[in-house]
């Protein structure tokens, strides 16, 4: 075998320097500047530096660098601007493939602390941290303490915490609050509305409740939802309440005198004045002193610094807000500020006989009726009072205005649909849901003549009897029409009638949970204002398959018994709210005859008739 060649030992060949040192120097400066500011774009610059170091050819301008990885339009534009500045300072023939005399080599930053910082910020541990670890950890950077969450003053979370805390301080309180009850009580403590979003936004003050639940300050249980404070939320609310009491006890003159002249100048500069208010409104404007930062520091237990020792916790930044006409009327619509709009269920315009349903839409358009097609969880037609909102400059669509549902709702039935709903049981269920929807004027619109009921599954006499029972027994107003054109004409007349009826009325928003406090029709006839439900609450409360209470399920079960109407079921529920209570009453009866007469003494309806039924 031939002798093996001797092994050569030598130096490792040095890698060639970057042919674009000027670009490399600029990227290094950009990266170091971003690193000092703590910006994440430093890692993007580092990736571009790595790509430029690997590229062996000289670049004439930054546009050619687009072929490299991690070079986007933004970095190329920055390099082009620097290149043009370089040509203006050094002449159009200046070289870009060599550094100016006296310039530091690319890839190193020169500062007082570290003059040999390399081009590798991707290391997870910085030099200070490594040095601190070498010294035993004394010189390492301290881990930033996580700040406790404290809601801003007059915010939604602030109002909710204070309201629940004050409710718990009442002797004999139940310890929780329902949504509508909590919103109405917390509204005076909050600047934003709990039910209506601000212009150009989709969030309300109620949106902060999810943050409180996430921070384990609030707990939500049961259905309907019950809101109560956790131990952490109770402690935070107690601190907020103490700060709120101190704020009320400090006089206004003392708050203003606590700030120095420099702080007063800053407050004047930072004051925000609403120029949309009129001169009369500006004369009666009020100064709303905000102290969000100071309140957060006090509530979280943090003490102010020595420089702020002479400053009271209240005078933060003064914000001057002019009272506009909408502020005091947040929960009501004044006359002339709303339009009456007909709402049509989308089922009435799609599916089934397309021609017949499109004919209804065309007739409404021909009659000049303003209508809106949307999903209605109960009923086929209803009317809403929609707030007039001016469009915002720069936005494509005007913000959505508030909508209150008028007390009129229509269920439309053709003769064939009426026959089918009686057979499958939908007819009784729909009447029951219409009675419970919260609107006091339900209307049945029966479409079709007697000849259209000649060839249906049920005899005509049965259908006529069902219509009469709907009006006499159930108390619905029944309107008979011949065809689609007459239905559209009736809807047109009703729309114009309601527009005239409500044109001089002030509409006040109320909750469905407070239906018992609504005045009767006789009381409202001479009243210039009326209370209505918001459309969002109405439609949410009318969901067919929502989670139901034991009482609601028991009512449905009772209505499955032949001859037991909704009024009779409601009367039984007043005495026996659950199946367990009814069965317990039966067990207490001494004989079978006593059991049979247990429910016969219960009265129902307006006429207070007896529930003559044997179970």
């Amino acid at each position: 075998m031939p002798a093996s060649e001797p092994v050569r030992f030598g130096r490792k060949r040095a890698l060639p320097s970057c042919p674009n040192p000027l670009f490399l120097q600029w990227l290094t400066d950009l990266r170091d500047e971003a690193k000092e500011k703590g910006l994440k774009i430093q890692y993007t610059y580092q990736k571009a530096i790595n790509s430029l170091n690997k590229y062996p050819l000289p670049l004439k301008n930054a546009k050619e660098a687009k072929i490299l990885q991690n070079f986007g339009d933004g970095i190329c534009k920055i390099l082009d601007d620097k290149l043009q500045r370089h040509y203006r300072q050094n002449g159009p023939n200046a070289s870009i493939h060599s550094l100016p005399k006296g310039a530091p080599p690319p890839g190193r930053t020169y500062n007082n602390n570290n003059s040999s910082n390399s081009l590798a910020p991707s290391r997870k541990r910085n030099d200070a941290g490594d040095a601190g670890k070498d010294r035993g950890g004394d010189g390492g950077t301290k881990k930033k303490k996580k700040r406790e969450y404290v809601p801003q003053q007059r915010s939604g979370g602030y109002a909710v915490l204070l309201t629940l805390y004050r409710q718990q301080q009442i002797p004999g309180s139940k310890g929780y609050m329902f949504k509508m009850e909590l919103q109405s009580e917390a509204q005076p403590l909050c600047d934003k509305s709990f039910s209506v979003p601000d212009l150009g936004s989709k969030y309300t003050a109620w949106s902060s409740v999810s943050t409180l639940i996430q921070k384990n300050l609030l707990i939500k249980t049961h259905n309907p939802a019950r809101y109560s404070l956790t131990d952490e939320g109770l402690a935070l609310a107690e601190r907020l309440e103490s700060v709120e009491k101190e704020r009320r006890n400090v006089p206004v003159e003392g708050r203003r005198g606590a700030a120095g002249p420099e702080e007063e100048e800053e407050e004047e500069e930072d004051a925000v004045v609403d120029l949309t208010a009129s001169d009369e409104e500006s004369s009666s404007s009020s100064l709303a002193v905000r102290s969000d930062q100071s309140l957060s520091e006090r509530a979280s237990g943090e003490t102010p610094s020595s420089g702020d020792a002479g400053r009271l916790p209240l005078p933060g930044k003064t914000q001057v807000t002019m009272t506009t006409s909408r502020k005091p009327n947040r929960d009501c619509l004044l006359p002339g500020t709303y339009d009456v709009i007909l709402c049509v269920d989308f089922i009435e315009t799609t599916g089934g006989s397309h021609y017949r349903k499109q004919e209804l839409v065309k007739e409404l358009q021909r009659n000049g009726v303003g209508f809106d097609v949307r999903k209605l969880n109960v009923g086929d037609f209803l009317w809403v009072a929609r707030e007039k909102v001016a469009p915002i400059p720069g936005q494509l669509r005007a913000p959505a205005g508030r909508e209150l549902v008028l007390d009129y709702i229509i269920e439309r039935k053709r003769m064939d649909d009426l026959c089918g709903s009686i057979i499958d049981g939908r007819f009784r269920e729909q009447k029951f849901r219409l009675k419970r929807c919260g609107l006091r004027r339900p209307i049945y619109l029966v479409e079709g003549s007697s000849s259209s009921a000649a060839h249906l599954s049920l005899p005509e006499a049965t259908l006529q009897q069902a219509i009469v029972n709907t009006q006499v027994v159930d108390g619905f107003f029944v309107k008979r029409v011949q065809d689609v054109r007459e239905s559209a004409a009736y809807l047109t007349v009703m729309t114009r009638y309601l527009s005239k009826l409500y044109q001089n009325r002030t509409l006040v928003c109320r909750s469905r949970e407070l239906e018992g406090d609504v005045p009767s029709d006789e009381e409202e006839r001479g009243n210039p204002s009326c209370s209505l439900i918001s459309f969002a609450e109405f439609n949410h409360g009318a969901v067919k398959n929502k989670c139901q209470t034991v009482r609601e399920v028991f009512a449905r079960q009772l209505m499955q018994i032949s001859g037991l109407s909704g009024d009779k079921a409601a009367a039984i529920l007043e005495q026996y709210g659950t199946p367990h209570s009814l069965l317990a009453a039966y067990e207490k009866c001494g004989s079978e005859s006593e059991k049979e007469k247990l429910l016969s003494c219960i009265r129902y309806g307006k006429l207070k008739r007896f529930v003559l039924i044997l179970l």
Side-chain angles (χ1 to χ4, degrees):
M1 294 179 60
S4 61
E5 297 182 359
V7 179
R8 293 185 177 183
F9 296 94
R11 280 187 177 181
K12 186 177 181 181
R13 186 180 59 169
L15 294 175
S17 59
C18 179
N20 303 287
L22 199 58
F23 287 166
L24 185 62
Q25 181 65 46
W26 290 339
L27 288 174
T28 304
D29 295 341
L30 292 172
R31 182 208 61 188
D32 294 338
E33 182 180 355
K35 187 177 181 180
E36 290 177 0
K37 296 179 179 179
L39 302 178
K40 292 185 179 181
I41 199 174
Q42 59 173 310
Y43 304 114
T44 305
Y45 289 135
Q46 180 59 46
K47 292 178 182 178
I49 291 173
N50 295 338
S51 299
L52 188 62
N53 275 325
K54 297 177 182 178
Y55 191 65
L57 301 179
L59 299 172
K60 296 180 181 180
N61 51 53
K63 292 182 180 179
E64 295 183 359
K66 277 192 174 182
I67 62 175
L68 301 181
Q69 192 177 9
N70 302 307
F71 274 81
D73 295 334
I75 292 181
C76 292
K77 187 178 184 303
I78 295 174
L79 294 180
D80 266 335
D81 294 341
K82 289 182 175 291
L83 185 60
Q84 296 301 325
R85 195 179 305 115
H86 175 74
Y87 283 145
R88 286 195 299 268
Q89 294 176 357
N90 302 312
N93 297 324
S95 175
I96 63 173
H97 301 116
S98 61
L99 293 175
K101 293 183 179 180
R108 297 193 179 269
T109 57
Y110 288 81
N111 50 37
N112 296 331
N113 298 330
N114 185 12
S115 60
S116 60
N117 185 21
S118 63
L119 283 174
S122 58
R123 296 173 58 191
K124 295 184 179 179
R125 294 180 299 175
N126 53 19
D127 296 338
D130 294 343
K133 289 184 179 181
D134 294 339
R135 294 192 299 268
D138 298 334
T141 58
K142 294 182 179 180
K143 186 177 180 181
K144 188 175 180 180
K145 184 179 178 181
K146 189 175 180 181
R147 190 172 183 178
E148 180 185 3
Y149 170 77
V150 178
Q152 292 185 354
Q153 187 186 15
R154 305 288 301 177
S155 65
Y158 174 88
V160 169
L161 289 177
L162 280 185
T163 303
L164 288 172
Y165 174 76
R166 293 173 181 177
Q167 195 270 343
Q168 287 191 4
Q169 303 308 310
I170 301 175
S173 64
K174 55 189 176 183
Y176 62 87
M177 298 182 73
F178 293 104
K179 178 179 178 180
M180 294 302 167
E181 180 186 6
L182 180 58
Q183 286 181 344
S184 61
E185 294 290 335
Q187 188 59 70
L189 300 174
C190 183
D191 291 333
K192 293 181 65 177
S193 173
F194 276 92
S195 56
V196 181
D198 292 338
L199 297 180
S201 174
K202 63 179 181 179
Y203 297 104
T204 62
W206 186 254
S207 304
S208 59
V209 171
S210 59
T211 304
L212 297 178
I213 296 176
Q214 183 181 2
K215 299 292 184 180
N216 197 26
L217 302 175
L218 196 68
I219 185 171
K220 174 182 176 183
T221 57
H222 295 82
N223 187 16
R226 300 178 181 179
Y227 297 90
S228 57
L229 292 174
T230 61
D231 294 338
E232 298 177 7
L234 184 62
L236 177 59
E238 187 175 0
R239 296 201 302 267
L240 292 177
E241 179 66 17
S242 62
V243 175
E244 181 70 16
K245 290 181 180 179
E246 292 180 9
R247 186 186 70 85
R248 288 197 295 262
N249 295 333
V250 176
V252 179
E253 292 78 6
R255 300 180 211 166
R256 292 178 180 174
E262 296 180 358
E263 296 173 357
E264 291 179 359
E265 292 179 1
E266 292 179 359
E267 291 177 358
E268 292 179 0
E269 293 177 359
D270 296 337
V272 180
V273 181
D274 188 1
L275 300 179
T276 59
S278 61
D279 296 337
E280 297 179 357
E281 293 168 346
S282 62
S283 63
S284 61
S285 61
S286 59
L287 294 178
V289 180
R290 305 297 178 93
S291 58
D292 299 341
Q293 184 176 0
S294 301
L295 178 63
S296 301
E297 293 176 356
R298 293 289 306 278
S300 60
E302 298 179 4
T303 57
S305 60
S306 59
D308 298 335
R311 185 187 304 175
L312 287 177
L314 283 174
K317 297 295 181 181
T318 303
Q319 181 176 358
V320 184
T321 57
M322 302 301 176
T323 58
T324 61
S325 60
R326 185 173 176 179
K327 274 292 182 180
N329 301 316
R330 181 174 295 174
D331 295 329
C332 66
L333 298 179
L334 299 177
T337 62
Y338 57 87
D339 295 321
V340 175
I341 305 296
L342 171 65
C343 294
V344 182
D345 188 18
F346 77 101
I347 298 296
E348 297 297 312
T349 61
T350 58
S353 178
H354 184 72
Y355 171 77
R356 183 176 64 248
K357 294 188 175 182
Q358 287 300 316
E359 186 179 358
L360 175 65
V361 174
K362 291 179 181 179
E363 285 293 329
L364 292 176
Q365 293 174 345
R366 189 178 296 112
N367 295 340
V369 178
F371 66 94
D372 188 14
V373 179
R374 61 180 68 178
K375 177 179 175 55
L376 302 179
N377 292 325
V378 63
D380 297 323
F381 305 96
L382 57 82
W383 288 265
V384 297
R386 179 185 296 171
E387 181 185 17
K388 297 179 181 178
V389 180
I392 299 178
Q395 290 191 2
L396 181 61
R397 298 179 179 177
R402 293 173 291 175
E403 290 183 340
L404 301 181
V405 184
L406 305 186
D407 274 328
Y408 294 81
I409 184 171
I410 292 180
E411 178 71 26
R412 180 190 176 199
K413 288 291 184 184
R414 298 186 311 274
M415 297 302 290
D416 56 344
D417 187 18
L418 177 63
C419 177
S421 61
I422 293 175
I423 294 175
D424 59 20
R426 287 185 295 112
F427 186 56
R428 296 175 60 195
E429 187 223 4
Q430 287 174 348
K431 290 191 295 184
F432 181 73
R433 293 177 61 213
L434 281 173
K435 287 183 178 181
R436 294 174 55 87
C437 70
L439 305 184
R440 292 172 287 176
R441 303 291 182 84
I443 301 172
Y444 253 87
L445 183 62
V446 182
E447 183 180 304
S449 59
S450 58
S451 61
S452 60
H455 304 287
L456 298 177
S457 302
L458 295 178
E460 181 182 353
T462 303
L463 301 179
Q464 297 296 340
Q465 186 63 47
I467 296 173
V468 172
N469 291 342
T470 301
Q471 185 168 7
V472 176
V473 179
D474 298 315
F476 289 88
F477 177 78
V478 177
K479 175 65 177 177
R480 300 291 298 269
V481 293
Q482 296 295 323
D483 52 13
V484 178
R485 185 166 297 181
E486 286 192 13
S487 297
Y490 179 71
L491 294 174
T492 303
V493 172
M494 282 293 299
T495 303
R496 294 171 182 171
Y497 166 74
L498 294 177
S499 300
K500 185 177 180 180
L501 179 64
Y502 287 91
Q503 63 181 357
N504 295 324
R505 287 196 173 192
T506 300
L507 308 182
V508 182
C509 181
R510 66 175 169 88
S511 171
R512 281 193 66 180
E513 298 177 2
L514 307 177
E515 290 181 10
D517 300 335
V518 179
S520 61
D521 298 343
E522 291 76 10
E523 295 176 353
E524 279 204 349
R525 285 176 183 175
N527 193 354
S529 64
C530 60
S531 57
L532 302 175
I533 308 173
S534 66
F535 177 79
E537 184 181 358
F538 162 79
N539 217 27
H540 176 72
V543 176
K544 185 176 181 180
N545 295 323
K546 65 177 181 179
C547 296
Q548 298 175 338
T549 61
V550 177
R551 185 183 181 91
E552 292 174 339
V553 175
F554 188 33
R556 287 175 173 267
Q557 292 173 343
L558 290 176
M559 291 178 61
Q560 299 304 313
I561 302 174
S562 178
L564 190 60
S565 63
D567 291 338
K568 293 180 180 180
I572 295 175
L573 287 175
E574 291 180 1
Q575 300 290 334
Y576 310 101
T578 61
H580 180 269
S581 60
L582 181 59
L583 292 176
Y586 275 118
E587 291 177 357
K588 293 180 181 179
C589 296
S591 60
E592 291 296 328
S593 61
E594 189 177 352
K595 291 182 180 180
E596 294 176 356
K597 298 177 182 179
L598 177 65
L599 300 179
S600 61
C601 59
I602 299 177
R603 297 177 180 269
Y604 75 97
K606 296 181 180 179
L607 301 178
K608 299 300 179 181
R609 297 176 177 175
F610 288 103
V611 180
L612 300 176
I613 184 171
L614 300 178
L615 295 181

